[in-house]
Every structure is written in structure tokens, then in C-alpha cells.
Amino acid sequence: MIPDVSIVIVNWNTRDLLRECLASVLEQTTLSKEIFVVDNGSSDGSADMVGTEFPAAYVIANTENLGFARANNQAIAKAQGRYVLLLNTDTVVQDRAIDRTVEFADQHLDAGVIGPRLINPDGSLQSSCRNYPWLVNSIIVFLGRIHLLPYGFITARIYRLWKHDQTRDVDWIIGACLLVRREVIRQVGSLDQDFFFYSEDMDWCYRIKKAGWRILFYPDASITHFGGQSSVHRWGDEAMVIANYAAPILFLQKHTNVFSIWAFRLSRALKLAVRVCLAVGSAAIANDPSRRKEALKAKTIYYKALGVCVGTRLWGSD
């Protein structure tokens, strides 16, 4: 029997979050399902925990961190469900959210991707819809920040600022919880493995939308998303910080022209230059040695990211 949904969870050293996520999936999902956990070389015993406590889940244990796209693709290649759901480890399923999203998808056959509503642990809304980083979108945000455009005009066009209170076609939805139709994957393919981390979800949605499918946000199903836990986005993980700035450039290199790429590089470079200066200033005035050390570390990471944005340092090079 073909399962309704194949749930794919990529893990990297988030054992306790993974346990809570899996427990919520099993408790809140009544549709037929198969669960894949792809462990990216964790050192915290995550794979063993899944094997012991959740024997129904299929575990793919990698010996190293292969990145988000490649790890998801390992499971997608084995998945049999009518839908594939990408789910972060730092999520908790609420009130049959996966069931609701699949039922919604069954009623909207032109939708290739559906994303449910994400909420913060305190119950507040978490923005999960995004615009493509085209030049016009950047200009709208900039003009709005200096109050040259009315706020209502901005929120109507920039999905990040929208209230997420109604079903809506959007550019792309973050991969913390993303339901994709099986026919779409057959037509468009899986995630692009050139993206190690970040923007692979944007690229996938773009390719799916270009193929004629709708990207729909669905507000009547909710997933709690702690945010940032699965990426371990902290100063100690330099590669993740740099990838956050570099990945959109790779997306633009694939899908737009040279002018737009360099306009984006320049805007990111200016933002990072300001952050470098602020970090240097913080280090200069800090009385606490630990704060000074943290500021200097931030300066170094921002400076390396700046090099990526202006093209003087290749992403991933030493």
C-alpha cells in the first residue's frame, strides 16, 4: 500500500529535539505514513536513539555532514508516499497539522508545494513565506524602510511582513515544513545538491513554480518551530553564517542576470561592512575580555562573509 505521506527529517546533533519531533509526528498524524530520519554524522547518539525509541522510522546514518539538500535527497529517493514532507528536527506538530495539510493538498491539485503556518514556542506567528531576492523586491524593502512607500503597500508585496492569515500563492516557503507532491518531484527533480545549506528550498520552489505548479501557504495547520536549532547557527559555526550570505548568490547565479547578481552582492556587502565596523567598535569599547573576544570573532566571520559577497573569496575555501 502506498503511504499518504513520506516524512523526511534531517538531523545533525539535535537528539532531544528530534525525539520530541518524532513523538509529535506519531501522536498527531493519523494518515498512512513512512518516516525517514537522515542523520548527518551526529556525535550525540541521535541515530541510536531513533533505532531504539522509534523502530518504525527508517534511519539513514551518514558518517559525515552531507548538507541539507543531499541528505534530504537520500530519503526522497527511497520514499514511496503520495507526498513528501520535509520537516526540521526543531519542530513540533500541532493538532493534526500534517493530516490537515495533506487533506488541503488533495483538494488543490494544481498546488505543487504547500507550507503550513509556523508558530514560535510562545504561540506567536513565525514568518515562513519569502520573496525571491530579485532586485525589485530589494528596492521595495529599501524604500519602505526610509518611508518612501506606505506600509500597507510593503506588506502586501513582501511576504515576510504579511500577516500569514489566509491561503495565498507565494514565491517560496522555508523548508522547516514543506509538503511536495510526488508528481512534482518526478517532473522537476529533487533538491539541488550544489546548495550545502540554505536557499535549497528557495531554489526548489522556484523550479517547481517555473514548471507551472502553485506554491501555496496554508494557515489552518500549525507547526511549532523553535528556529535555528537544527542549523546550530552560532558564532562558533563559521560555515553556517557564511552560507547564510552565500547561498542566495548561488541561487541568483542559476536563475538571473549578471546585473542582478552584482546588485545583490553590493547590497549584502554594504550590510556586512556596517556589521564589521560595529563589531570592531564593540571590541574596542568592551571592558569584559569575553565580550571583546566574541566581538572580534563576529568581526572575523562577517569579514569572511563580506569576501564571499564581493567575490574575492570562494564559498567554502580556506
Side-chain angles (χ1 to χ4, degrees):
M1 178 179 176
I2 297 175
D4 289 311
V5 59
S6 300
I7 301 168
V8 179
I9 304 171
V10 174
N11 174 73
W12 183 45
N13 291 318
T14 57
R15 181 187 58 195
D16 295 337
L17 287 168
L18 175 60
R19 178 187 288 114
E20 187 176 4
C21 175
L22 286 169
S24 73
V25 168
L26 293 174
E27 180 182 349
Q28 295 293 332
T29 309
T30 60
L31 292 174
S32 61
K33 58 190 173 294
E34 59 180 0
I35 303 171
F36 293 89
V37 175
V38 186
D39 187 73
N40 261 341
S42 296
S43 58
D44 64 353
S46 293
D48 291 337
M49 181 277 292
V50 175
T52 301
E53 300 182 24
F54 302 95
Y58 300 97
V59 178
I60 300 173
N62 296 319
T63 58
E64 59 182 324
N65 189 345
L66 300 181
F68 187 74
R70 187 174 175 187
N72 271 296
N73 286 350
Q74 287 178 298
I76 290 171
K78 298 177 180 294
Q80 300 296 315
R82 296 190 298 115
Y83 296 93
V84 171
L85 179 79
L86 305 189
L87 189 66
N88 275 15
T89 59
D90 56 347
T91 59
V92 174
V93 180
Q94 305 287 344
D95 193 23
R96 295 182 60 249
I98 296 175
D99 290 4
R100 289 171 182 267
T101 306
V102 170
E103 290 164 3
F104 177 82
D106 283 340
Q107 297 167 6
H108 295 78
L109 300 181
D110 56 350
V113 173
I114 300 95
R117 187 172 182 263
L118 297 186
I119 57 175
N120 294 308
D122 64 1
S124 61
L125 173 69
Q126 185 177 120
S127 174
S128 58
C129 305
R130 300 286 188 273
N131 296 83
Y132 299 127
W134 307 143
L135 181 59
V136 64
N137 293 332
S138 300
I139 292 172
I140 289 174
V141 172
F142 174 75
L143 293 176
R145 284 175 176 168
I146 59 177
H147 308 294
L148 293 182
L149 292 175
Y151 186 72
F153 179 90
I154 299 295
T155 56
R157 288 159 179 79
I158 303 301
Y159 301 128
R160 185 188 292 266
L161 302 177
W162 168 58
K163 292 182 179 180
H164 293 55
D165 57 353
Q166 56 186 325
T167 299
R168 180 173 179 175
D169 288 271
V170 297
D171 281 355
W172 65 283
I173 300 169
I174 66 173
C177 185
L178 202 65
L179 186 76
V180 184
R181 196 178 297 275
R182 169 59 60 185
E183 299 95 298
V184 169
I185 299 174
R186 292 195 188 102
Q187 177 184 356
V188 176
S190 301
L191 294 160
D192 186 344
Q193 296 178 181
D194 285 343
F195 295 89
F196 181 81
F197 206 96
Y198 298 123
S199 295
E200 66 288 307
D201 42 11
M202 174 168 60
D203 174 78
W204 208 18
C205 286
Y206 179 80
R207 289 187 284 125
I208 291 169
K209 194 170 189 176
K210 193 174 181 181
W213 296 90
R214 297 172 72 189
I215 311 296
L216 284 181
F217 171 77
Y218 176 55
D220 295 333
S222 296
I223 301 282
T224 298
H225 181 218
F226 293 93
Q229 298 300 312
S230 57
S231 66
V232 196
H233 191 96
R234 57 178 183 266
W235 292 126
D237 198 333
E238 175 183 308
M240 291 299 180
V241 178
I242 294 175
N244 188 41
Y245 286 95
I249 297 174
L250 177 58
F251 170 83
L252 291 171
Q253 287 173 334
K254 285 187 61 179
H255 301 298
T256 191
N257 55 58
V258 173
F259 176 76
S260 296
I261 294 168
W262 278 102
F264 183 85
R265 282 181 182 269
L266 178 60
S267 66
R268 282 294 176 102
L270 290 173
K271 181 178 181 179
L272 284 163
V274 170
R275 291 193 169 185
V276 168
C277 292
L278 291 174
V280 170
S282 297
I285 64 175
N287 295 322
D288 185 349
S290 63
R291 290 186 178 180
R292 185 180 302 111
K293 182 179 179 180
E294 190 72 15
L296 290 173
K297 185 184 294 185
K299 183 267 296 182
T300 300
I301 294 174
Y302 281 139
Y303 187 76
K304 289 182 178 180
L306 176 61
V308 169
C309 287
V310 299
T312 60
R313 177 180 181 272
L314 293 176
W315 180 18
S317 64
D318 295 327

